[in-house]
Amino acid sequence: MYRILIVEDEPGAASALCDAIMRYGTEHSEQFQVGWMRNTIDLDEPAFDLIFMDIDLGVENGMDAAREIREFDRSTPIIFVTNLAQYAIQGYEVNALDFIVKPFTYGSFSLRMDRAMEVLRRREGRSISIQTRDGLRIFPASSLVRVWMHGHDVNYGLSDGSAEAVRGSLRETEIMLGGTPFLKISSGCIINMAHVRGVRDSAITLSDGSVCYISRANKRRCLEEISRYLGGGGA
């Protein structure tokens, strides 16, 4: 299932876009979970695979919002949906994947969605490479369960029960994992939401049997992100 966020301040426009996404899913046998926000003011670190962003959001400019997203997420594809075609050239500044000009036809949308799906499918096979004390190790991002700090080491816990420790910072790792279903739950821990097996208050049980704890300051945001990822969200 792919998680898609629509950022659009007009309910009618958001509904039309959601309908197009779901129609595309039906025609191409793809499953989409669609979320909708009127703006990005309350958006921290989105756990989405694709973002459709209006530029004229009323309380904010979508281009500025995209620049803020790129400060912590460099890779999630962004498609601008707008009647302000003059902004198209600025899309390169935020590495926008494409533009859809309002009012759009389903045919126009479908062509852009084809391109977006190509990008998402390529990223499914994404690998992570880290320089360990024994040399370079490469593994699928999907096999990474959690990342945590211990002293000055960043520890990578894998689904086969092994772990690798490398010198570095969690912030560097967070940037490297941008655009994947990883969530920073405290100053010293990042989890893979695909490996969440249980949530009880601030305790998160992962597929390897480990239990990680959400910091008090991050609790509400993290629980919302996990709920959205696991299917609690919607348009």
Side-chain angles (χ1 to χ4, degrees):
M1 177 179 291
Y2 295 97
R3 300 164 309 283
I4 299 176
L5 174 64
I6 298 172
V7 184
E8 168 64 69
D9 63 330
E10 298 180 7
S15 178
L17 185 54
C18 183
D19 289 345
I21 293 170
M22 302 314 291
R23 175 180 171 182
Y24 184 94
T26 299
E27 293 179 355
H28 294 80
S29 300
E30 297 284 1
Q31 289 187 314
F32 300 118
Q33 176 186 317
V34 183
W36 169 45
M37 299 183 72
R38 292 178 182 269
N39 54 66
T40 64
I41 292 175
D42 296 323
L43 181 67
D44 291 317
E45 301 187 14
F48 296 96
D49 300 301
L50 175 64
I51 299 174
F52 286 91
M53 175 81 72
D54 186 22
I55 288 183
D56 185 10
L57 293 171
V59 298
E60 66 177 337
N61 180 284
M63 192 65 69
D64 293 335
R67 291 190 184 99
E68 293 178 5
I69 289 174
R70 285 292 181 246
E71 290 181 3
F72 57 80
D73 181 349
R74 300 180 181 180
S75 59
T76 297
I78 297 176
I79 297 178
F80 286 109
V81 186
T82 180
N83 53 12
L84 303 174
Q86 66 269 27
Y87 280 98
I89 191 65
Q90 295 185 32
Y92 293 107
E93 299 177 12
V94 294
N95 192 30
L97 178 65
D98 216 326
F99 275 79
I100 299 177
V101 178
K102 297 177 181 178
F104 65 87
T105 64
Y106 178 73
S108 174
F109 166 84
S110 183
L111 289 174
R112 271 74 179 180
M113 196 64 182
D114 285 343
R115 184 181 179 192
M117 292 305 299
E118 289 179 6
V119 172
L120 296 183
R121 292 186 186 109
R122 286 199 300 268
R123 288 173 55 184
E124 284 184 334
R126 178 174 176 177
S127 295
I128 294 174
S129 60
I130 56 175
Q131 188 65 47
T132 72
R133 296 177 177 89
D134 298 321
L136 186 67
R137 180 170 183 183
I138 302 173
F139 50 85
S142 60
S143 70
L144 181 58
V145 178
R146 61 187 176 120
V147 184
W148 71 97
M149 290 297 299
H150 182 72
H152 296 291
D153 287 339
V154 181
N155 295 268
Y156 295 81
L158 304 177
S159 56
D160 63 3
S162 66
E164 295 286 357
V166 300
R167 289 283 177 172
S169 72
L170 206 64
R171 179 56 181 164
E172 293 172 348
T173 304
E174 191 177 7
I175 293 173
M176 178 179 66
L177 295 173
T180 60
F182 286 85
L183 178 67
K184 186 177 182 180
I185 63 171
S186 69
S187 60
C189 183
I190 296 173
I191 65 165
N192 186 342
M193 291 187 287
H195 285 271
V196 171
R197 296 296 180 265
V199 180
R200 184 173 183 179
D201 195 23
S202 297
I204 299 176
T205 302
L206 301 173
S207 63
D208 62 355
S210 62
V211 179
C212 302
Y213 294 89
I214 307 172
S215 65
R216 181 176 299 178
N218 293 322
K219 183 176 179 179
R220 179 177 178 180
R221 173 182 62 83
C222 288
L223 291 178
E224 289 176 351
E225 292 288 357
I226 293 169
S227 176
R228 185 182 295 119
Y229 179 83
L230 296 177

